[in-house]
Amino acid sequence: MRNALLRVNVAGGSAARSAAKGRPSGQEQRIINAALVPIVAGMAMAGCLYWFYAGDFAVIPDSAASIAPRYRQSLTVYIAAAWVELWAEPLFVLSRARVLFKLQAKCEGIAVTCRCTVVVATLLLGRYVSCNGSDGNPLRLLAFAAGQMAYAVAIVAMYAWHMSQVLDYPIWMCYVPRKLACGDGDANGGYIGSTIGGLAVTFVGQSLLKHLLTQGDSMVMARFATADEMGIFAFVSNYGSIPARVIFLPLEEASRAVFSKTAAAVASSQDSDKRMSADGGVWAEVRYASHVLSTLGKLQVLFGMILAVFGTLYSPVLASLACQGDTAVGQALAAYCLYLPLMGLNGFLEAFVHSVASKSQLLRSNVWMVGFTAVYMLAAVQALRRFGAGSAGIIVANMLNMALRIFYCKTFVSSWFARLDIAGPRVAALLPHSAVIVTCLGSAAVIVAASAVLDHLRDSITFQLSMLMLGGVLGVVVLGSIWLYEQPLVRSVRGLRAGKLQHLKAC
């Protein structure tokens, strides 16, 4: 529903909001009506999950009860937290429609802090009240449920407080559906509109399909991998994906909104039979979307270069510190360092495809996704059974899957811009400055040479500390070269992440 609502154009809404003083404008009311659907559907789904996992008929093994005390109580709190968090949905989509990305980061940051605080406090309380140390902490499962409830309450409270300062009408009106007349935000009238409703159904189907397909890792690992390989893969994927969640997810959210507004502007222009002249606003929106794609693509190339130099070469050192010299962990970490840039680049490209594609194009992309997943599973099985590559082989198969998806998305992007007779992002423009490339290559040569010189100390703490100190110095040198020679990129990324879209347009 969020992806579909991004297609609603509320820009130029200042005049409409002024005309609708004291109540939501037509387009914002349509967003509110649609955002109320996930609340009802989500609460029903959460209730069904509780009934299935903890209802009277659910069979909870004795082993599970002994391992995870307070199972039913914890699940009840989780379900209640889901119900609470759903009530932030109308406020969240309104903030995205008004391009308030900084607000999202602020609210989620405070909510995450509350969750961590409550989890730690509950664990400490459970440790204090525990009468029998052999049973462990009796609140260890309930602590995470309480943390999730704290997150839900905080996110709703923060959005309500901040949006009350922004909206021209009371917060309670964000939870009241209202039928729109024809021409009031949509030519068809009604509550949501056939266009948004159809797109929402398509995106729901796509998300369900994507969820099933992304379980390919679990299916392959469960069938063909050993317990050690599954543990290594879980360790590497959980900790290795932190940069993607912290750095690239906010950028992807911001870019998705930008691309959706561009698609809405293009669709509006085509519906009204306007021509996108060189000085037209629609042409400027499309050119801006191309600029954002180029910016994010170049950022991923830089990120990939840094990981290729420092991530792959330092993975054995980090593995020796964390896992006592486990070579399998080092190999998996090195492979994941090469996989991360592909995952980030695919995320931005898929954000563009999902934002501008029509319903038929989205269905076609689903078919291709099924094919790519089949290729991935075949490659993963061969990596485990024939080549014995372990968890690193699973990651390499994921890299192949991402590469295929990137190729498909790049083909779609090129054809979309070509159809509008506008130059899209060029691959040559994604390459970093030559000084940055030379600095990265020089750093790699220095690291390899230092590792060879200190090879006789490889198993000692001296080798590890020396290599880490060298890596820190070289990392500062590489970041300094990026700061000196990639200032336009730095300004663009900072503007996009902070939601300063006008600043980005001027870069």
Side-chain angles (χ1 to χ4, degrees):
M1 185 63 77
R2 289 176 176 178
N3 290 340
L5 290 178
L6 283 174
R7 305 288 184 98
V8 179
N9 188 6
V10 296
S14 56
R17 289 195 290 267
S18 299
K21 192 74 173 177
R23 64 184 181 89
S25 64
Q27 292 289 37
E28 287 196 342
Q29 184 62 53
R30 191 169 298 281
I31 289 176
I32 291 171
N33 292 343
L36 294 176
V37 175
I39 296 179
V40 178
M43 293 181 73
M45 187 180 299
C48 291
L49 286 174
Y50 179 83
W51 179 71
F52 182 80
Y53 283 109
D56 293 335
F57 82 99
V59 179
I60 303 176
D62 294 337
S63 58
S66 62
I67 295 173
R70 304 183 185 274
Y71 169 79
R72 292 183 187 272
Q73 299 94 318
S74 301
L75 189 57
T76 301
V77 176
Y78 264 114
I79 298 301
W83 284 5
V84 173
E85 188 178 348
L86 283 167
W87 288 95
E89 192 64 20
L91 306 177
F92 174 82
V93 295
L94 282 174
S95 69
R96 287 181 69 174
R98 294 195 176 199
V99 204
L100 302 175
F101 300 124
K102 224 173 178 181
L103 172 61
Q104 179 184 351
K106 186 185 300 183
C107 293
E108 292 189 358
I110 294 174
V112 168
T113 302
C114 293
R115 174 169 58 191
C116 295
T117 303
V118 171
V119 168
V120 173
T122 308
L123 287 173
L124 291 177
L125 177 64
R127 183 178 180 182
Y128 176 77
V129 302
S130 178
C131 298
N132 187 353
S134 61
D135 292 335
N137 193 324
L139 302 181
R140 61 184 183 271
L141 185 59
L142 191 60
F144 293 96
Q148 191 62 31
M149 175 60 78
Y151 174 88
V153 172
I155 201 77
V156 173
M158 291 304 300
Y159 268 114
W161 187 80
H162 284 289
M163 291 301 291
S164 66
Q165 314 298 315
V166 176
L167 298 176
D168 302 323
Y169 43 88
I171 284 292
W172 62 264
M173 297 193 73
C174 297
Y175 298 95
V176 178
R178 179 168 60 90
K179 189 173 183 178
L180 299 174
C182 293
D184 189 6
D186 191 281
N188 299 323
Y191 285 95
I192 297 177
S194 57
T195 302
I196 296 178
L199 279 173
V201 172
T202 302
F203 280 124
V204 167
Q206 187 179 52
S207 65
L208 290 174
L209 175 64
K210 193 172 183 178
H211 176 74
L212 294 175
L213 295 180
T214 51
Q215 297 306 306
D217 285 339
S218 303
M219 291 186 288
V220 172
M221 296 292 282
R223 178 66 178 83
F224 300 102
T226 64
D228 286 342
E229 291 169 342
M230 288 189 284
I232 292 172
F233 182 81
F235 171 80
V236 171
S237 60
N238 285 329
Y239 287 98
S241 61
I242 290 177
R245 296 196 300 266
V246 173
I247 300 175
F248 295 115
L249 185 59
L251 291 174
E252 184 178 331
E253 292 279 353
S255 65
R256 190 183 295 273
V258 171
F259 300 147
S260 296
K261 301 306 176 189
T262 301
V266 171
S268 176
S269 174
Q270 292 173 344
D271 290 343
S272 57
D273 294 327
K274 297 177 184 176
R275 294 187 61 187
M276 292 192 300
S277 58
D279 57 348
V282 178
W283 187 88
E285 290 287 344
V286 176
R287 186 176 66 172
Y288 173 45
S290 175
H291 171 69
V292 172
L293 269 178
S294 298
T295 299
L296 297 177
K298 191 171 186 178
L299 177 65
Q300 284 298 333
V301 172
L302 278 172
F303 183 61
M305 287 180 57
I306 294 174
L307 283 178
V309 172
F310 295 95
T312 57
L313 296 178
Y314 273 91
S315 291
V317 178
L318 296 176
S320 64
L321 289 173
C323 303
Q324 301 173 347
D326 194 327
T327 56
V329 174
Q331 293 171 354
L333 277 174
Y336 207 86
C337 287
L338 298 176
Y339 170 64
L340 268 177
L342 295 176
M343 182 170 61
L345 182 59
N346 176 73
F348 295 134
L349 289 173
E350 284 195 349
F352 182 87
V353 173
H354 295 167
S355 298
V356 306
S358 64
K359 185 176 180 179
S360 60
Q361 291 169 332
L362 288 172
L363 293 174
R364 192 179 308 123
S365 71
N366 290 344
V367 175
W368 281 102
M369 190 182 297
V370 172
F372 296 153
T373 303
V375 172
Y376 154 73
M377 296 185 71
L378 178 62
V381 171
Q382 294 301 312
L384 286 173
R385 298 188 65 178
R386 176 170 296 185
F387 300 105
S391 54
I394 294 287
I395 297 171
V396 172
N398 268 306
M399 292 170 61
L400 174 61
N401 183 26
M402 286 297 162
L404 292 173
R405 290 162 68 167
I406 289 171
F407 178 78
Y408 173 80
C409 291
K410 176 60 176 67
T411 303
F412 178 91
V413 169
S414 300
S415 63
W416 191 84
F417 282 101
R419 192 164 57 250
L420 299 176
D421 293 327
I422 294 178
R426 295 180 297 108
V427 176
L430 305 183
L431 296 178
H433 193 279
S434 57
V436 177
I437 298 176
V438 171
T439 304
C440 288
L441 293 177
S443 299
V446 172
I447 294 171
V448 172
S451 179
V453 170
L454 300 175
D455 186 64
H456 62 287
L457 301 173
R458 183 168 296 274
D459 296 329
S460 66
I461 190 66
T462 303
F463 172 82
Q464 297 168 352
L465 292 178
S466 300
M467 293 300 296
L468 289 175
M469 292 176 61
L470 176 63
V473 173
L474 294 175
V476 171
V477 172
V478 170
L479 292 177
S481 67
I482 294 174
W483 182 263
L484 287 175
Y485 297 102
E486 297 289 354
Q487 271 298 309
L489 175 68
V490 173
R491 288 194 298 268
S492 296
V493 172
R494 290 175 65 182
L496 181 59
R497 193 177 185 191
K500 300 174 183 176
L501 302 183
Q502 296 302 323
H503 169 77
L504 238 183
K505 290 181 180 180
C507 294

